[in-house]
Amino acid sequence: MSVSRDTIVAILLLAFCGVLWYASYDIEITSYGTMPSSVWPRIIIVATAVFSALLLLKSLSSHDDAPVEEASSEPFFRRYRNAAIIYALFLLFLLTLPTLGMHLGGALFVFLSLTALGRPSPKLIALHAAIAVISIGAMWSIFTFGLRVILPQGEILPI
């Protein structure tokens, strides 16, 4: 019986979540918040741990005896094209954050990500624009009204 890559990744992710959980006890406790500073990081850690555990269970319950796939002869960039595009777009988002702000920059990031990864047709481009505006608007509403966090403003559209 061989161990699959999914099993190894799930175990590493669970170990990483354990390290992060332990490190969350070192988060500074502030006096100006309504809840401890460690609440949101721990929620993310728990969600990641739950999904990692599900991946581990799925990989262990899989009875696929197929041989491990050979390394692809495909060039590195072609194989990881989508990931490289998203990392490049996120870097561009971070670099333009002082100018565009979270609203325009975030909407542009979501729109370009969806368009780059999908098929750019006029109908889908309109859908991508709608998804970008709605998702960034919802995110802004949650942070502004629910969490009382002011998001970075840009020079172009100070809101």
Side-chain angles (χ1 to χ4, degrees), residues 20 30 36 64 67 74 76-77 82 92 95 101 108 119 125 136 154:
L20 289 177
T30 58
D64 187 16
E74 202 173 5
F76 179 81
F77 183 74
N82 289 346
L92 186 65
L95 292 175
L108 194 60
R119 292 169 288 147
I125 286 178
I136 295 302

Side-chain angles (χ1 to χ4, degrees), residues 77-139:
F77 183 74
R78 185 174 296 158
R79 186 171 186 189
Y80 297 104
R81 178 185 153 266
N82 289 346
I85 288 171
I86 295 302
Y87 280 122
L89 287 174
F90 190 69
L91 178 64
L92 186 65
F93 164 72
L94 292 176
L95 292 175
T96 60
L97 193 58
T99 305
L100 297 178
M102 187 62 137
H103 308 97
L104 287 177
L108 194 60
F109 172 71
V110 172
F111 173 76
L112 290 175
S113 297
L114 290 171
T115 304
L117 297 179
R119 292 169 288 147
S121 68
K123 183 179 178 182
L124 287 178
I125 286 178
L127 179 64
H128 295 165
I131 290 171
V133 169
I134 291 169
S135 64
I136 295 302
M139 185 253 338

Side-chain angles (χ1 to χ4, degrees), residues 4-154:
S4 71
R5 278 190 279 177
D6 287 348
T7 304
I8 294 169
V9 168
I11 291 170
L12 290 174
L13 283 172
L14 286 170
F16 185 63
C17 287
V19 170
L20 289 177
W21 185 267
Y22 178 75
S24 72
Y25 288 100
D26 291 333
I27 295 175
E28 180 183 352
I29 297 173
T30 58
S31 61
Y32 54 83
T34 57
M35 65 179 133
S37 305
S38 61
V39 170
W40 285 110
R42 287 184 181 162
I43 288 173
I44 301 301
I45 294 167
V46 167
T48 305
V50 166
F51 287 123
S52 299
L54 289 173
L55 176 63
L56 180 63
L57 289 174
K58 180 183 173 291
S59 69
L60 291 176
S61 66
S62 174
H63 298 294
D64 187 16
D65 293 331
V68 178
E69 65 185 53
E70 294 294 322
S72 175
S73 62
E74 202 173 5
F76 179 81
F77 183 74
R78 185 174 296 158
R79 186 171 186 189
Y80 297 104
R81 178 185 153 266
N82 289 346
I85 288 171
I86 295 302
Y87 280 122
L89 287 174
F90 190 69
L91 178 64
L92 186 65
F93 164 72
L94 292 176
L95 292 175
T96 60
L97 193 58
T99 305
L100 297 178
M102 187 62 137
H103 308 97
L104 287 177
L108 194 60
F109 172 71
V110 172
F111 173 76
L112 290 175
S113 297
L114 290 171
T115 304
L117 297 179
R119 292 169 288 147
S121 68
K123 183 179 178 182
L124 287 178
I125 286 178
L127 179 64
H128 295 165
I131 290 171
V133 169
I134 291 169
S135 64
I136 295 302
M139 185 253 338
W140 173 78
S141 299
I142 290 168
F143 274 86
T144 302
F145 302 118
L147 300 174
R148 306 256 188 246
V149 173
I150 304 302
L151 297 174
Q153 296 180 357

